[in-house]
Short mmCIF file of all heavy atoms in Angstrom, two decimals:
data_model
loop_
_atom_site.label_atom_id
_atom_site.label_comp_id
_atom_site.label_asym_id
_atom_site.label_seq_id
_atom_site.Cartn_x
_atom_site.Cartn_y
_atom_site.Cartn_z
N LYS A 96 -44.85 0.70 88.36
CA LYS A 96 -45.06 -0.56 89.02
C LYS A 96 -44.48 -0.48 90.39
O LYS A 96 -43.27 -0.19 90.57
CB LYS A 96 -44.38 -1.65 88.21
CG LYS A 96 -44.57 -3.02 88.74
CD LYS A 96 -44.15 -4.04 87.69
CE LYS A 96 -44.27 -5.45 88.26
NZ LYS A 96 -43.00 -6.12 88.39
N PRO A 97 -45.29 -0.70 91.49
CA PRO A 97 -44.76 -0.61 92.84
C PRO A 97 -43.54 -1.48 93.04
O PRO A 97 -43.41 -2.61 92.50
CB PRO A 97 -45.91 -1.11 93.72
CG PRO A 97 -47.14 -0.80 92.91
CD PRO A 97 -46.71 -1.00 91.43
N GLY A 98 -42.59 -0.97 93.82
CA GLY A 98 -41.37 -1.77 94.15
C GLY A 98 -40.32 -1.72 93.12
O GLY A 98 -39.15 -2.03 93.41
N SER A 99 -40.66 -1.41 91.83
CA SER A 99 -39.55 -1.44 90.82
C SER A 99 -39.42 -0.15 90.03
O SER A 99 -38.30 0.37 89.90
CB SER A 99 -39.74 -2.67 89.92
OG SER A 99 -40.94 -2.53 89.17
N ASP A 100 -40.50 0.35 89.47
CA ASP A 100 -40.37 1.62 88.73
C ASP A 100 -40.12 2.76 89.75
O ASP A 100 -40.44 2.64 90.90
CB ASP A 100 -41.62 1.94 87.92
CG ASP A 100 -41.75 1.02 86.72
OD1 ASP A 100 -40.70 0.54 86.22
OD2 ASP A 100 -42.92 0.75 86.31
N ASN A 101 -39.55 3.86 89.22
CA ASN A 101 -39.28 4.93 90.16
C ASN A 101 -39.70 6.30 89.64
O ASN A 101 -40.00 6.45 88.45
CB ASN A 101 -37.79 4.94 90.61
CG ASN A 101 -36.85 5.26 89.47
OD1 ASN A 101 -36.97 6.29 88.84
ND2 ASN A 101 -35.89 4.41 89.24
N ILE A 102 -39.71 7.27 90.55
CA ILE A 102 -39.94 8.64 90.12
C ILE A 102 -38.67 9.44 90.52
O ILE A 102 -37.95 9.08 91.40
CB ILE A 102 -41.14 9.32 90.82
CG1 ILE A 102 -40.92 9.44 92.32
CG2 ILE A 102 -42.44 8.48 90.56
CD1 ILE A 102 -41.70 10.59 92.97
N LEU A 103 -38.42 10.53 89.78
CA LEU A 103 -37.25 11.37 90.03
C LEU A 103 -37.71 12.75 90.52
O LEU A 103 -38.55 13.40 89.82
CB LEU A 103 -36.37 11.46 88.79
CG LEU A 103 -34.98 12.06 88.93
CD1 LEU A 103 -34.06 11.51 87.86
CD2 LEU A 103 -34.98 13.55 88.90
N ILE A 104 -37.25 13.18 91.64
CA ILE A 104 -37.57 14.54 92.16
C ILE A 104 -36.28 15.30 92.43
O ILE A 104 -35.20 14.70 92.57
CB ILE A 104 -38.44 14.48 93.41
CG1 ILE A 104 -37.69 13.82 94.60
CG2 ILE A 104 -39.76 13.79 93.17
CD1 ILE A 104 -38.44 13.97 95.90
N MET A 105 -36.42 16.62 92.51
CA MET A 105 -35.20 17.47 92.70
C MET A 105 -35.39 18.33 93.97
O MET A 105 -35.85 19.45 93.87
CB MET A 105 -35.01 18.34 91.45
CG MET A 105 -34.70 17.45 90.23
SD MET A 105 -34.80 18.34 88.72
CE MET A 105 -35.46 17.03 87.62
N PRO A 106 -35.02 17.80 95.10
CA PRO A 106 -35.20 18.59 96.36
C PRO A 106 -34.31 19.85 96.36
O PRO A 106 -33.22 19.80 95.77
CB PRO A 106 -34.70 17.59 97.45
CG PRO A 106 -34.54 16.27 96.81
CD PRO A 106 -34.38 16.49 95.31
N PRO A 107 -34.75 20.88 97.05
CA PRO A 107 -36.00 21.03 97.75
C PRO A 107 -37.20 21.21 96.81
O PRO A 107 -37.10 22.12 95.95
CB PRO A 107 -35.78 22.21 98.64
CG PRO A 107 -34.89 23.10 97.84
CD PRO A 107 -33.96 22.15 97.09
N THR A 108 -38.22 20.46 97.00
CA THR A 108 -39.39 20.71 96.13
C THR A 108 -40.68 20.33 96.86
O THR A 108 -40.62 19.94 98.01
CB THR A 108 -39.26 19.97 94.79
OG1 THR A 108 -40.20 20.43 93.89
CG2 THR A 108 -39.39 18.43 94.97
N TYR A 109 -41.79 20.37 96.14
CA TYR A 109 -43.09 20.12 96.75
C TYR A 109 -43.22 18.73 97.28
O TYR A 109 -42.79 17.73 96.60
CB TYR A 109 -44.12 20.37 95.58
CG TYR A 109 -45.57 20.36 96.04
CD1 TYR A 109 -46.00 21.02 97.16
CD2 TYR A 109 -46.51 19.62 95.30
CE1 TYR A 109 -47.38 20.99 97.52
CE2 TYR A 109 -47.83 19.56 95.60
CZ TYR A 109 -48.26 20.27 96.75
OH TYR A 109 -49.60 20.23 97.11
N GLY A 110 -43.73 18.58 98.46
CA GLY A 110 -43.70 17.26 99.14
C GLY A 110 -44.63 16.24 98.60
O GLY A 110 -44.43 15.00 98.81
N MET A 111 -45.65 16.61 97.88
CA MET A 111 -46.66 15.62 97.44
C MET A 111 -46.11 14.60 96.42
O MET A 111 -46.62 13.51 96.34
CB MET A 111 -47.87 16.29 96.88
CG MET A 111 -48.93 16.73 97.94
SD MET A 111 -49.41 15.41 99.08
CE MET A 111 -50.31 14.31 97.98
N TYR A 112 -45.10 14.97 95.65
CA TYR A 112 -44.57 14.01 94.62
C TYR A 112 -44.02 12.77 95.40
O TYR A 112 -44.29 11.65 95.03
CB TYR A 112 -43.44 14.62 93.79
CG TYR A 112 -43.72 16.04 93.31
CD1 TYR A 112 -42.64 16.97 93.29
CD2 TYR A 112 -45.00 16.43 92.86
CE1 TYR A 112 -42.89 18.26 92.83
CE2 TYR A 112 -45.17 17.70 92.42
CZ TYR A 112 -44.14 18.62 92.43
OH TYR A 112 -44.33 19.92 92.00
N GLU A 113 -43.29 13.08 96.46
CA GLU A 113 -42.66 12.01 97.20
C GLU A 113 -43.74 11.23 97.99
O GLU A 113 -43.73 9.97 98.01
CB GLU A 113 -41.65 12.63 98.23
CG GLU A 113 -40.91 11.62 99.03
CD GLU A 113 -39.71 12.21 99.74
OE1 GLU A 113 -39.38 13.44 99.57
OE2 GLU A 113 -39.05 11.44 100.50
N VAL A 114 -44.74 11.92 98.58
CA VAL A 114 -45.75 11.26 99.35
C VAL A 114 -46.57 10.32 98.41
O VAL A 114 -46.87 9.16 98.77
CB VAL A 114 -46.67 12.28 100.05
CG1 VAL A 114 -47.91 11.59 100.67
CG2 VAL A 114 -45.85 12.99 101.18
N SER A 115 -46.96 10.83 97.28
CA SER A 115 -47.76 10.00 96.34
C SER A 115 -47.00 8.74 95.93
O SER A 115 -47.57 7.65 95.85
CB SER A 115 -48.17 10.80 95.06
OG SER A 115 -49.30 11.54 95.37
N ALA A 116 -45.69 8.90 95.68
CA ALA A 116 -44.90 7.71 95.33
C ALA A 116 -44.82 6.76 96.50
O ALA A 116 -45.03 5.56 96.34
CB ALA A 116 -43.48 8.18 94.92
N ALA A 117 -44.63 7.31 97.72
CA ALA A 117 -44.52 6.44 98.92
C ALA A 117 -45.81 5.69 99.14
O ALA A 117 -45.83 4.54 99.46
CB ALA A 117 -44.07 7.31 100.11
N VAL A 118 -46.95 6.39 99.01
CA VAL A 118 -48.25 5.74 99.18
C VAL A 118 -48.39 4.53 98.25
O VAL A 118 -48.97 3.51 98.59
CB VAL A 118 -49.39 6.74 99.00
CG1 VAL A 118 -50.76 6.04 98.85
CG2 VAL A 118 -49.45 7.74 100.12
#
Side-chain angles (χ1 to χ4, degrees):
K96 183 166 176 245
S99 64
D100 288 333
N101 66 56
I102 68 153
L103 192 154
I104 63 169
M105 297 167 214
T108 194
Y109 186 47
M111 275 309 290
Y112 316 139
E113 183 166 357
V114 170
S115 277
V118 166

